[in-house]
Structure formats: structure tokens, C-alpha cells
Amino acid sequence: MIYQSFKEHRFCEEIGEYVTYGIKTEDEAYTISDISSNDEVIDNITGCMNKNDVSVLHMNDVIEDMIISYSL
């Protein structure tokens, strides 16, 4: 499975328009939007997922764990 990052423009009433990044599978069968506003974090996560051949079954858990680790 190959994962890719993607950029989105979103709008929130509290903060207005903002740019965010998500991760999707190459075939776009699985997509998680609005993960982080930091493209470097998303690139690191997708790189790690691709390097370790993460199954889509674990995609959500891996992303969540890695986001938490960046917050510490």
C-alpha cells in the first residue's frame, strides 16, 4: 500500500479559512482529511507508513499514535 499526503483548504466559523493536510492511499480508496496544518508532520507520517508497509487496517491507529507523539 502506498500512502500520499494531500493539501486542502477548509473553512471554520471560529478561525476562518485555513490550510490543512491529510493522508490517502494511492488508489484513493481510503482518505483521512484534516489531520494537521503542518505539512512536515504529514510528510513524516506518510514516509514512515510507506517505509513500514502499514496495512490500511492500521492506518487510523498509526496516524493517531504518531500525531500524539508529535504533541508530546
Side-chain angles (χ1 to χ4, degrees):
M1 184 63 56
I2 297 175
Y3 297 96
Q4 301 173 329
S5 61
F6 64 93
K7 182 178 181 178
E8 300 179 284
H9 294 271
R10 294 266 179 132
F11 181 83
C12 174
E13 298 228 1
E14 290 83 27
I15 62 172
E17 188 174 333
Y18 65 101
V19 174
T20 185
Y21 299 88
I23 297 174
K24 64 183 177 181
T25 55
E26 185 177 43
D27 62 4
E28 298 187 17
Y30 300 93
T31 300
I32 301 176
S33 297
D34 202 9
I35 298 171
S36 175
S37 59
N38 186 328
D39 62 332
E40 289 181 27
V41 168
I42 297 301
D43 288 343
N44 288 336
I45 293 172
T46 54
C48 181
M49 291 172 67
N50 287 325
K51 179 180 175 184
N52 292 288
D53 198 28
V54 172
S55 165
V56 293
L57 298 174
H58 303 290
M59 181 178 175
N60 288 337
D61 292 332
V62 169
I63 292 170
E64 181 179 358
D65 290 348
M66 291 189 76
I67 289 293
I68 290 169
S69 74
Y70 278 102
S71 301
L72 299 177

